[in-house]
Amino acid sequence: MSNQNKKIDEIVKLLLHDDNIIGISLVGSFIKYNDYNDLDFLVVSTKKNVTINLIKDNFRLYDVGFNDDSIRVKNYMNKEIGFGLYDKKNMDDRLCNYLNGKNLDPIYKNWNIVGWLPECLLYDILNMQILFENDMYMTNLKQLVSIYSPKMKSSIIRICDEKLDNLCSRKNKANKIEKKIIESEILSLKIRKAFAKNEMYFRGYKNIDNTLKEMGVKYE
């Protein structure tokens, strides 16, 4: 076992001191690029607050911070570790809503200018590397999102079209700086719509040019 995998195994064993955890997976760039500089875990628990306290306690000697639904641990073995934490009921409700075409508007977070898209969570679930699960929970999540939902597709396209119409109308009346901001929003909507039309889960703006090229996605 490589030193890298040993560290991942150590983290999983640490988390499993919490009996409320029902699923642990690796997600993010590590899955595709085997990049250990930014290691992200997706953790599902029946008692999220208990899990949060476990992580805070065990990593108290490091630089620990909160970012929305996640805990970021900096400088752990010279790496940054992220724990995306979800309560089981919240996860189940989210996926049910998303796949039925509900609650798909962007969620604006302090680290994302154009808004976090629900499809990013579905992409992570579809491509996650399962490290631990109870009763096939994480496996069932992967199966649930394995087919791109037609209801979600039509809702995303409708949302994008409505916002594009509004922004294009506003752009004609905007000043120079406003136009630049609006153009950025328009571009992000066109990209999101293209992914939906191609029934591909959006996976973020990092390396977006290469992502669009390798997927053959056209957005103009």
Side-chain angles (χ1 to χ4, degrees):
M1 181 183 292
S2 69
N3 184 60
Q4 171 177 279
N5 289 332
K6 284 180 181 178
K7 292 304 174 187
I8 293 172
D9 190 52
E10 286 176 11
I11 292 172
V12 172
K13 287 179 179 178
L14 182 153
L15 291 172
L16 290 180
H17 284 95
D18 179 2
D19 293 335
N20 301 295
I21 291 177
I22 60 173
I24 304 170
S25 293
L26 276 172
V27 297
S29 58
F30 177 85
I31 301 300
K32 183 172 182 181
Y33 304 109
N34 200 33
D35 182 4
Y36 191 42
N37 289 326
D38 185 10
L39 189 61
D40 292 305
F41 292 85
L42 189 153
V43 182
V44 182
S45 172
T46 56
K47 292 184 180 179
K48 180 178 172 181
N49 288 336
V50 174
T51 304
I52 289 173
N53 289 333
L54 173 83
I55 293 172
K56 286 171 61 178
D57 183 58
N58 281 275
F59 291 95
R60 62 187 179 278
L61 300 179
Y62 300 91
D63 183 2
V64 178
F66 286 87
N67 193 344
D68 300 306
D69 290 328
S70 68
I71 295 178
R72 307 300 299 183
V73 180
K74 296 182 179 179
N75 301 319
Y76 178 75
M77 302 300 294
N78 298 318
K79 310 295 180 182
E80 180 169 326
I81 312 298
F83 298 96
L85 302 169
Y86 292 89
D87 177 82
K88 179 182 182 299
K89 185 179 186 308
N90 178 265
M91 174 65 83
D92 294 343
D93 289 345
R94 280 194 188 207
L95 294 192
C96 180
N97 284 327
Y98 295 163
L99 297 177
N100 280 287
K102 301 176 182 177
N103 299 343
L104 289 166
D105 281 315
I107 300 172
Y108 292 92
K109 299 175 180 282
N110 57 15
W111 46 266
N112 194 320
I113 297 173
V114 294
W116 176 85
L117 302 179
E119 301 96 290
C120 292
L121 174 60
L122 303 187
Y123 174 85
D124 278 343
I125 291 172
L126 182 63
N127 294 280
M128 65 186 173
Q129 179 183 329
I130 299 171
L131 304 174
F132 167 81
E133 61 180 335
N134 276 341
D135 299 325
M136 301 288 287
Y137 180 75
M138 303 299 263
T139 299
N140 290 335
L141 290 186
K142 285 176 72 86
Q143 183 63 34
L144 188 64
V145 304
S146 62
I147 298 176
Y148 200 101
S149 163
K151 290 182 179 180
M152 184 175 69
K153 175 180 178 178
S154 61
S155 290
I156 290 173
I157 291 173
R158 175 183 54 78
I159 289 170
C160 290
D161 284 340
E162 290 175 355
K163 290 182 181 292
L164 283 168
D165 287 344
N166 178 266
L167 287 171
C168 289
S169 175
R170 285 171 51 196
K171 182 181 176 183
N172 295 330
K173 304 174 185 177
N175 60 43
K176 188 175 181 179
I177 294 177
E178 288 175 324
K179 282 183 179 179
K180 293 293 184 181
I181 296 171
I182 290 172
E183 286 170 357
S184 175
E185 293 185 47
I186 288 174
L187 178 59
S188 67
L189 286 166
K190 286 183 176 180
I191 291 173
R192 185 187 191 191
K193 180 179 176 181
F195 270 78
K197 288 180 69 176
N198 284 273
E199 298 184 355
M200 299 176 182
Y201 292 125
F202 183 75
R203 66 191 194 192
Y205 292 104
K206 186 177 181 180
N207 300 318
I208 187 64
D209 290 342
N210 292 333
T211 299
L212 293 172
K213 184 182 294 184
E214 72 180 40
M215 288 185 170
V217 173
K218 298 184 182 299
Y219 59 90
E220 295 182 333

